[in-house]
Every structure is written in C-alpha cells, then in structure tokens.
Amino acid sequence: MDKQFKGFGLTISQVSALSGGLTNACLKVEAKEGSFVWRPISLQAKILGADRAKEHEILQALSDESFSPNVYGANEEGLLVEWLEGEVIALDKAQDVAIELMITVHQVPLDGLSEQIKNKPMSLKDRIIDYWNSIVPENQTPEMKAYFEYFSQQEESSRFPYCLCHHDIGAYNIIVKEDGYGLIDWEYASMGDPSQDLTIMITANQFNSEDVILSYCKKRHLNFDEWNNAFIHWAPWVTFMGALWFLLGHQLLKNTCYQELAEREMNKIRKLLPLS
C-alpha cells in the first residue's frame, strides 16, 4: 500500500479518488476500521492557501462536536479524517442549514486551540496578495492588476471580534447525515472576522444577502445594519479573491470552466467597485 498511509495501522480494502474542488486531490479510503478521507499536503493545496496542520489542530479541537469529521491520524504526507456518511445538500435547501452551521462554528469555545492559531486570523488582503503572486504574468490582465493594486493599498480592519471561521461554508461542503448535518473541508478554517466568513458564504452560494444577514442577526440578537454594512464593505474583497482563486484554478488545471468563473467574478466586481 502507498507510503502515504504508513503508520495508520489500517487494513485497507479500497482507495478511490474523490472529485471536488481545486485543492482536493483527496482520496476515499475504505478499510476494516472504517471509511476515511485522505487529505494530502500538496503544492496545489498550499498555493491556494490550504493549511493541513491548522486543519488538523482545529478538527482535533472540534472532536466533541457532531458536525465536524474526526481526525484519525496525520503524517508528513497529509491528514486522514472520518468519512461522513450522507449526501451533499441541494443548494435550494442549503441556506437555513448553512446559517445554523455558521452560527455554531462562530460560537465554538476556543479552549482547545493553540495561542498560535488564536493569534493568527485569516487576512483577505494577505490571501489576495498570495494568490496574485502565484498567477503567472501572462494571466495577469491590466484590469486585474488595477484591482490588485487597489486592495493591496487598503487597510484591512476587522469589523467584529475574531472567532473560529470555516471560510468555505458552501452547499458543496454540507453533508445531510442521518442524525443532522455535517460540515467538511476545513482546510481554510482559522480565526477570523465573522463578517468576512458570512460574506464568503453569501458569495460562494449566491444567496440573497439581506435574507441571510437578517436571519443570522436575528438568531444571534445582533444589529442588522452593522452586519449589512460589513457585508457591503467586504463583498468586493471576497469577490476579487474569488476571481483570483478561479484564475489560479485555470492556471493549475487548464480547465476553461475556472476561467469562465473568474470572469463571472470580475463582472461582479466591476459593478460592486468600479475603478474608472
């Protein structure tokens, strides 16, 4: 059996590739001991900002929660986590579930997290800079360069106190289980401004922003106007970050659908934040 599974003590019967997002060169591992997902440490994942070590620590801290997969083991090659049985939720049924999961994540006690993770929140600005620097010059259009220069010169100040954030609560990461809902793919999870996390969720799923913010604020007894203003502030940041993520996807996989999605996000940002 492949050296990547060395040290886990599994009696493996089958290994199969999983389809999924850009960072997912993941495998389903079926063994006598159970079913698992192998999440490798790959150059592609690192370029896109996935952090397996942080993912490992966060999932271990969430081990008593019913919505997150448990970690079975880790080595220098990657992370082996529990396979959550169930089906990916349909997008038209996802909004209320996504809001509830986000609230649950945002209210998780932080006792199990190291000071290193607590003191290093995710930065949209840093992510934009890292993505831009990974895009080859021939793919950097003058328009994108103008937006990059705009965001790289802006101050990024949090609107709300930091909490644990998933940073990718899309319908594609929500599993309908027999006993509730599961949330997978924690590779972008970190401390962060919860209004950035909310903006990422609304943007990724193309939810109605007012409906989601109203529901989130009502359930948490928060001020709608403050959170709606934060969404309006962060939406261009998240949209441009998404455009760069898709452009990187096209660069890495040579898949034209990612190029089309990058252009879709650029069309959005032209309306959200016209520079000329």
Side-chain angles (χ1 to χ4, degrees), residues 60 95 105 183 207 265:
Q60 282 190 314
Q95 183 168 297
V105 173
L183 185 57
F207 288 153
E265 297 307 297

Side-chain angles (χ1 to χ4, degrees), residues 256-268:
T256 56
C257 81
Y258 288 116
Q259 191 173 28
E260 292 164 6
L261 290 167
E263 185 54 37
R264 182 193 74 184
E265 297 307 297
M266 289 305 297
N267 284 333
K268 286 186 198 173

Side-chain angles (χ1 to χ4, degrees), residues 7 66 94 97 138 157 191 195 210 212 217 219-220 225 263 265:
S66 62
V97 177
E138 53 264 37
S157 301
M191 296 295 289
S195 66
E210 187 171 313
V212 170
C217 290
K219 290 174 187 294
R220 293 198 65 190
D225 289 335
E263 185 54 37
E265 297 307 297

Side-chain angles (χ1 to χ4, degrees), residues 89-95 170-171 204-207:
I89 198 169
L91 181 58
D92 62 356
K93 294 181 172 62
Q95 183 168 297
N205 295 282
Q206 300 186 68
F207 288 153

Side-chain angles (χ1 to χ4, degrees), residues 30-91:
E30 296 177 67
K32 181 180 177 183
E33 294 78 9
S35 296
F36 307 94
V37 179
W38 173 247
R39 300 176 63 72
I41 299 168
S42 66
L43 179 60
Q44 190 166 295
K46 288 178 181 177
I47 288 172
L48 290 161
D51 187 331
R52 296 287 183 237
K54 188 184 288 186
E55 180 181 5
H56 183 191
E57 182 178 327
I58 288 171
L59 286 176
Q60 282 190 314
L62 296 174
S63 60
D64 291 334
E65 304 290 345
S66 62
F67 59 82
S68 57
N70 289 318
V71 175
Y72 186 82
N75 59 25
E76 67 280 359
E77 303 277 340
L79 189 62
L80 192 69
V81 304
E82 173 190 11
W83 170 268
L84 295 186
E85 290 293 345
E87 300 294 329
V88 174
I89 198 169
L91 181 58

